Amino acid sequence: SSDATEVPSSEPELRTADDFYKRGLALQNAAKCNKAIEYYQKAVEKKRGHTEAWTGRGECHVKLGELISATSAFKNGLEQNGKFEPALFGLANVLKLQGKEDEAAAAFEKYLSFHPNGSHAVQAMKYLEELQGQAPAGEDDASGQPTSP
């Protein structure tokens, strides 16, 4: 046989971007985000514009506290599908977590313009009200330090 690579019988061979995405999603759902990111990376290597894989990767980076990486992942996902609900909300949320109030408010407004009845619409409106009710952030607020324990 010319197939020298052995695949464990317990794990089906992964070939397509969707195969890698689905494995990443299963790992993410099992709270194994470090491993999930590896599979999401393989998915986007096979299909650069795999919006769902970029979004899952962004969600994992948020869970791991890697906000800069999360921002990049969500933005990459939105390049292919600028209306993808989980990526729009994820980007808005990660901008809020970074203390980027103006960018976050604009992102929540964009989310709500596309998904006024979306699964995160109530939360988006709440966050938007919080952000719009705040005084402009001073330099001290941009420390990059997490605000939650």
Side-chain angles (χ1 to χ4, degrees):
S1 167
S2 62
D3 184 16
T5 58
E6 289 195 25
V7 177
S9 58
S10 63
E11 182 175 305
E13 190 174 351
L14 304 178
R15 288 192 170 90
T16 68
D18 282 341
D19 290 342
F20 286 105
Y21 162 70
K22 287 172 186 165
R23 178 65 52 82
L25 184 61
L27 288 162
Q28 180 181 350
N29 290 337
K32 296 179 180 173
C33 269
N34 282 314
K35 196 76 178 156
I37 288 170
E38 293 175 28
Y39 283 91
Y40 289 142
Q41 178 60 33
K42 290 175 183 172
V44 299
E45 285 170 5
K46 289 193 169 287
K47 182 182 170 194
R48 172 89 176 103
H50 199 300
T51 301
E52 294 88 350
W54 281 117
T55 302
R57 186 173 172 169
E59 291 168 348
C60 277
H61 283 303
V62 170
K63 285 181 182 153
L64 296 170
E66 300 165 351
L67 303 184
I68 304 301
S69 296
T71 303
S72 291
F74 289 128
K75 286 181 177 178
N76 282 330
L78 289 167
E79 281 177 16
Q80 183 70 20
N81 178 353
K83 296 181 181 180
F84 189 58
E85 183 178 356
L88 281 170
F89 185 80
L91 178 60
N93 190 48
V94 79
L95 291 169
K96 178 181 180 284
L97 291 170
Q98 291 176 76
K100 297 180 177 180
E101 284 91 355
D102 292 344
E103 288 179 62
F108 282 122
E109 286 173 351
K110 185 174 181 179
Y111 170 87
L112 289 166
S113 73
F114 290 127
H115 305 285
N117 301 308
S119 59
H120 298 288
V122 171
Q123 196 169 13
M125 283 185 261
K126 178 177 166 269
Y127 285 162
L128 195 53
E129 287 172 14
E130 287 174 18
L131 290 166
Q132 291 172 338
Q134 290 177 357
E139 290 302 312
D140 296 344
D141 294 335
S143 66
Q145 294 300 311
T147 54
S148 58

